[in-house]
């Protein structure tokens, strides 16, 4: 036990260390003999003080300790060996004396660092008058665990757990503070979105996707000034505050350098990954005088970049706002159309180019706007996927087909397959695909359906091939790879894909008779597909020359396109008419000027 000055509770005097042990003992003996109960109470009181978990000390007018319990002794010893105390010992001593003279209680928080361990103590100092003497009673509690928990809560609220960057709350607070500052000049707010991050996440997995975000945030944060802030506000979205700025040219130059830095590949877990960002920028006060307006306008500018090809930057301008309002109108119209079921189906035949038979039909969804005008899917499908409305839309298409199955059978024949498109995002959603599979089975003729998905659904690390495909196979639903050749596919990827048919994208078919390189690619796809037992469908046939080339130079049997028929709406379908003759003219005899003819049963297709 360390030698501290101890107080004689009976007499109010002080004795120092071992030199005064005899006086202390005699004093205690006298007090016990004169009043045994009082002496026993003092011993109990001293024992209680020693056992208290809080550190208790009493100091006199000179700052000398006259009472220290065991917890306080341990804390003082810790403070003596601490490498980084909040304040030096002499400063703490002077502060305690000042508190004693002022007569006002004080509560202080002190941090002590011993090696890798951080201790935090909450100490309450209270000046008192006892027996005519001024004393400072101090009580100190170890709140290290509480502070660690508070720090954890603070970091989770204000700092991103993955990247360590500030959250949106921090940057919003900082921007609002700059706006309130009347002396504040100009600053820029940039909205950054990682391009194709979903594909990276699906293909490489979420672990590598997260690692990419960490490395990317380091590059984005490189060369930022102390007054700049980079914040991660959601999965693959960042906000960058550049403050102060002198001109938009300065901002443009900095962002250009930042994007050039991102062009170098990221090497993560033996994978070489390329990433880029689309960036929209708003300037204060030119593009807004509130955080909400600046962020929204930067977001609008970023979407302009996304729509124009990604990987670059743009400053906000008024025309973008008009585009955003138009997009919002489309979004509202889309939600209302789904609510009111204002969608309709059109069907385009898949034709045997040698026998003219209709092998199957593809169901194509169309939207009737408020004025009854038919809208092509290019105006709303991507938006439906983005807004999470595509699942409901797909189920509406299935319901429309089931409702009209008799008319479909009468027009195209009861053996024609019916293809329904499923977006890659849907194919990766196990919950939806299981629901969709049950809906297909409930129709009673699941074997007539063909699900068309892009090759992304197979080659990315989703659950489609392993979990969903067996379910569809079990109920007899066929699988078609749509738009093959324009995604991230390769011929070698076909070896790992289990599908019934491949639809070659029309970009390979257009003017195929004039393009030797496309002809070579087409032959390679055809040969490999034949070896794997997959049917090949040529999409987008629009001319007699394209058809003639396929008939003469390939083994491809099936095709679809405007040369055979435009998509046909349900209300335009007519009951079947008897086939007048089995010796109708073949499609190959059709003159080129009859291209893009509308479909009817009299056009020469056989069921």
């Amino acid at each position: 036990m360390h030698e501290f000055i101890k107080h004689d509770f009976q007499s109010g005097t002080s004795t120092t260390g071992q030199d005064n042990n005899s006086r202390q003992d005699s004093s205690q003996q006298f007090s016990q003999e004169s009043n045994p109960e009082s002496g026993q109470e003092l011993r109990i009181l001293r024992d209680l003080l020693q056992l208290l978990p809080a550190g208790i000390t009493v100091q006199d007018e000179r700052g000398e300790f006259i009472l220290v319990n065991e917890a306080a002794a341990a804390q003082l010893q810790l403070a003596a060996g601490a490498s980084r105390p909040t304040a030096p010992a002499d400063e703490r001593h002077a502060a305690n004396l000042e508190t004693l003279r002022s007569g006002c209680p004080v509560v202080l928080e002190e941090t002590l660092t011993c090696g890798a361990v951080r201790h935090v103590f909450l100490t309450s100092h209270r000046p008192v008058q006892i027996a005519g003497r001024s004393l400072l009673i101090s009580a100190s509690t170890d709140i290290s665990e509480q502070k660690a928990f508070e720090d954890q809560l603070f970091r989770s609220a204000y700092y991103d757990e993955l990247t360590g960057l500030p959250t949106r709350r921090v940057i919003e607070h900082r921007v609002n503070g700059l706006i309130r500052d009347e002396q504040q000049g100009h600053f820029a707010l940039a909205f950054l979105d990682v391009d194709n991050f979903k594909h990276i996440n699906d293909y490489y997995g979420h672990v590598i996707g997260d690692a990419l975000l960490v490395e990317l945030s380091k590059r984005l944060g490189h060369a930022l000034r102390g007054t700049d802030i980079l914040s991660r506000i959601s999965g693959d979205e960042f906000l960058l505050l550049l403050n102060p700025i002198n001109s938009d040219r300065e901002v443009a130059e900095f962002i250009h350098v930042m994007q050039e830095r991102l062009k170098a590949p990221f090497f993560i877990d033996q994978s070489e990954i390329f990433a880029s960002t689309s960036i929209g920028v708003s300037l204060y006060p030119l593009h807004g005088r509130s955080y909400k307006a600046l962020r929204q306008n930067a977001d609008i500018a970023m979407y302009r970049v996304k729509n124009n090809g990604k990987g670059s930057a743009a400053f906000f301008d008024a025309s973008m706002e008009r585009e955003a309002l138009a997009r919002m109108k489309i979004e509202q119209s889309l939600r209302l159309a789904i609510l009111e079921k204002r969608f309709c189906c059109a069907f385009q035949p898949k034709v045997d180019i040698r026998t003219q038979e209709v092998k199957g039909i593809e169901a194509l969804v169309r939207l009737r706007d408020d004025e009854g005008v038919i809208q092509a899917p290019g105006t709303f499908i991507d938006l439906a996927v983005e807004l999470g409305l595509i699942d409901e839309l797909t189920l509406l298409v299935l319901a429309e087909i089931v409702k009209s199955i008799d008319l479909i059978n009468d027009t195209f024949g009861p053996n024609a397959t019916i293809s329904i498109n499923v977006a890659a995002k849907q194919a990766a959603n196990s919950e939806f695909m299981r629901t969709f599979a049950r809906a297909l089975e409930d129709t009673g003729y699941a074997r007539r359906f063909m699900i068309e998905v892009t090759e992304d659904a197979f080659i990315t690390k989703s659950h489609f091939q392993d979990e969903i495909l067996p379910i569809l196979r079990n109920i007899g639903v066929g699988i078609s790879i749509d738009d093959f050749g324009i995604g991230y596919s390769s011929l070698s990827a076909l070896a790992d894909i289990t599908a019934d048919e491949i639809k070659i994208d029309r970009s390979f078919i257009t003017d195929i008779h004039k393009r030797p390189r496309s002809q070579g690619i087409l032959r390679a796809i055809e040969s490999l597909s034949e070896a794997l037992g997959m049917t090949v469908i040529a999409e987008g046939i629009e001319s007699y020359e394209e058809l003639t080339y396929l008939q003469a130079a390939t083994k491809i049997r099936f095709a679809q396109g405007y040369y055979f028929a435009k998509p046909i709406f349900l209300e335009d379908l007519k009951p079947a008419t008897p086939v007048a003759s089995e010796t109708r003219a073949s499609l190959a005899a059709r003159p080129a000027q009859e291209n893009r003819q509308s479909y009817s049963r009299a056009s020469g297709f056989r069921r």
Side-chain angles (χ1 to χ4, degrees):
M1 180 68 181
H2 292 274
E3 297 302 327
F4 295 104
I5 300 174
K6 300 180 180 179
H7 183 261
D8 189 323
F9 288 93
Q10 183 72 18
S11 63
T13 59
S14 300
T15 58
T16 307
Q18 294 178 344
D19 294 339
N20 297 309
N21 282 342
S22 58
R23 292 180 56 190
Q24 185 175 7
D25 294 339
S26 61
S27 174
Q28 292 175 354
Q29 183 179 1
F30 173 76
S31 63
Q32 293 171 12
E33 290 174 354
S34 60
N35 191 344
E37 290 184 4
S38 177
Q40 185 177 6
E41 290 174 355
L42 286 175
R43 285 196 302 273
I44 293 173
L45 179 59
R46 281 194 296 269
D47 291 341
L48 287 175
L49 285 173
Q50 293 300 330
L51 294 174
L52 285 176
I56 306 296
T57 65
V58 178
Q59 293 172 269
D60 62 13
E61 298 90 337
R62 294 170 296 175
E64 295 182 357
F65 291 102
I66 58 177
L67 185 144
V68 178
N69 71 352
E70 289 185 2
Q75 292 171 10
L76 290 169
Q77 189 175 25
L78 184 67
S83 57
R84 283 197 304 149
T86 303
D90 53 348
E91 291 184 15
R92 295 198 301 273
H93 181 73
N96 290 348
L97 287 178
E98 181 61 30
T99 301
L100 186 58
R101 296 190 190 100
S102 69
C104 298
V106 175
V107 178
L108 301 173
E109 190 176 288
E110 184 177 27
T111 301
L112 304 175
T113 303
C114 299
V117 182
R118 177 173 173 264
H119 298 273
V120 183
F121 295 97
L122 183 66
T123 304
S124 173
H125 300 289
R126 184 177 184 84
V128 295
Q129 293 287 329
I130 298 178
R133 301 181 61 183
S134 296
L135 303 174
L136 183 66
I137 301 176
S138 302
S140 184
T141 304
D142 190 336
I143 58 170
S144 301
E145 291 186 6
Q146 176 185 335
K147 292 299 293 185
F149 182 66
E150 289 177 359
D151 290 345
Q152 181 181 355
L153 289 179
F154 178 84
R155 290 203 63 83
S156 64
Y158 295 103
Y159 289 89
D160 176 52
E161 182 178 0
L162 177 65
T163 62
L165 295 175
T167 62
R168 71 173 69 210
R169 292 182 180 180
V170 176
I171 200 167
E172 180 178 359
H173 179 76
R174 178 59 177 155
V175 169
N176 287 332
L178 293 175
I179 293 173
R180 287 193 298 267
D181 186 357
E182 297 180 357
Q183 304 300 319
Q184 175 60 39
H186 300 268
F187 63 84
L189 194 65
F191 195 108
L192 298 83
D193 184 90
V194 182
D195 299 323
N196 302 317
F197 184 71
K198 181 187 182 303
H199 168 72
I200 294 172
N201 236 357
D202 289 343
Y203 188 79
Y204 294 100
H206 289 278
V207 173
I208 291 183
D210 287 348
L212 174 64
L213 288 176
V214 172
E215 295 304 315
L216 191 139
S217 65
K218 291 178 181 178
R219 288 196 196 178
L220 291 175
H222 185 70
L224 291 183
R225 300 166 296 182
T227 53
D228 300 330
I229 297 178
L230 176 66
S231 169
R232 183 184 178 217
I233 61 173
S234 70
D236 60 343
E237 294 178 336
F238 298 82
L239 269 183
L240 174 62
L241 171 65
L242 298 175
N243 172 63
I245 60 170
N246 296 317
S247 66
D248 55 354
R249 170 183 262 182
E250 177 188 0
V251 177
E253 289 176 353
F254 178 83
I255 289 179
H256 175 73
V257 171
M258 185 169 61
Q259 289 185 311
E260 288 295 312
R261 192 178 298 121
L262 293 179
K263 288 184 177 180
F266 293 86
F267 295 94
I268 301 173
D269 193 22
Q270 299 180 343
S271 298
E272 184 179 15
I273 305 173
F274 290 86
S276 64
T277 58
S278 296
I279 304 176
V281 184
S282 61
L283 304 174
Y284 174 83
L286 180 62
H287 299 143
R289 292 181 174 272
S290 69
Y291 168 79
K292 181 179 179 180
L294 291 168
R295 183 191 180 283
Q296 178 176 314
N297 291 338
D299 191 10
I300 291 173
M302 185 274 295
Y303 270 104
R304 166 72 70 86
V305 174
K306 287 282 189 185
N307 293 334
N308 291 343
K310 306 178 181 179
S312 60
F315 286 86
F316 173 80
D317 63 51
S319 66
M320 296 178 182
E321 187 171 17
R322 291 191 293 270
E323 290 178 6
L325 291 174
R327 183 178 183 273
M328 187 180 300
K329 185 177 179 180
I330 294 174
E331 177 181 333
Q332 293 172 343
S333 175
L334 179 60
R335 293 184 184 276
L336 185 61
I338 290 180
L339 184 64
E340 297 177 349
K341 296 180 171 56
R342 285 194 280 107
F343 288 91
C344 56
C345 284
F347 300 95
Q348 189 172 35
K350 299 177 182 179
V351 180
D352 187 323
I353 63 177
R354 288 171 171 78
T355 68
Q356 305 175 40
E357 291 186 46
V358 176
K359 173 186 183 292
I361 55 174
E362 180 181 358
L364 305 169
V365 65
R366 298 291 188 265
L367 167 65
R368 296 185 188 274
D369 64 16
D370 297 337
E371 299 175 355
V373 178
I374 300 296
Q375 301 290 332
T379 62
F380 63 86
I381 286 294
D382 289 343
L383 184 59
V385 173
E386 180 183 335
L387 297 176
L389 302 174
I390 191 65
D391 293 350
E392 187 173 355
L393 185 55
T394 302
L395 294 174
L396 285 177
V397 170
L398 178 60
E400 188 75 9
I401 293 171
V402 173
K403 184 175 67 175
S404 308
I405 192 64
D406 290 338
L407 188 55
I408 291 171
N409 289 343
D410 194 47
T411 305
F412 300 107
N415 297 320
T417 61
I418 305 171
S419 296
I420 300 178
N421 288 279
V422 171
K425 185 175 182 179
Q426 292 176 285
N429 184 346
S430 300
E431 183 178 353
F432 167 74
M433 290 304 298
R434 287 189 172 88
T435 300
F436 189 48
R438 286 195 297 270
L440 289 169
E441 187 175 20
D442 291 343
T443 64
Y445 40 88
R447 293 184 180 279
R448 289 206 40 200
F449 284 103
M450 182 82 68
I451 301 300
E452 293 194 9
V453 294
T454 59
E455 69 265 27
D456 290 8
F458 293 90
I459 65 174
T460 57
K461 293 182 179 179
S462 70
H463 302 288
F464 181 77
Q465 174 109 339
D466 296 332
E467 297 181 14
I468 303 304
L469 199 55
I471 297 175
L472 296 175
R473 291 290 187 201
N474 187 52
I475 63 175
V477 174
I479 304 297
S480 175
I481 306 174
D482 196 16
D483 300 331
F484 186 83
I486 63 170
Y488 299 91
S489 61
S490 63
L491 294 182
S492 61
L494 284 178
D496 298 324
I497 293 177
T498 305
D500 299 290
E501 69 177 28
I502 295 176
K503 297 180 70 175
I504 301 175
D505 187 74
R506 69 181 306 261
S507 61
F508 291 98
I509 303 301
T510 302
D511 294 330
I512 184 68
H513 55 289
K514 301 178 183 178
R515 299 162 59 195
R517 293 177 65 87
S518 293
Q519 294 170 10
I521 294 173
L522 187 61
R523 285 193 297 271
I525 296 175
E526 181 188 358
S527 298
L528 188 54
S529 300
E530 184 180 10
L532 296 173
M534 300 181 191
T535 301
V536 178
I537 309 280
E539 288 189 284
I541 303 294
E542 294 195 359
S543 74
Y544 174 73
E545 290 79 11
E546 293 167 355
L547 174 63
T548 302
Y549 176 84
L550 293 179
Q551 289 175 325
T554 73
K555 297 180 182 179
I556 293 176
R557 289 292 302 269
F558 303 101
Q560 67 182 106
Y562 275 23
Y563 181 81
F564 308 108
K566 293 180 180 180
I568 312 154
F569 290 98
L570 276 173
E571 57 263 33
D572 296 330
L573 296 180
K574 298 178 181 180
T577 56
V579 178
S581 172
E582 290 298 324
T583 58
R584 297 182 180 181
S586 69
L587 287 173
R590 182 187 298 176
Q593 59 265 31
E594 293 184 10
N595 291 355
R596 303 172 67 93
Q597 179 177 342
S598 296
Y599 174 83
S600 71
R601 285 311 317 272
S603 65
F605 298 131
R606 294 180 181 173
R607 293 197 304 200

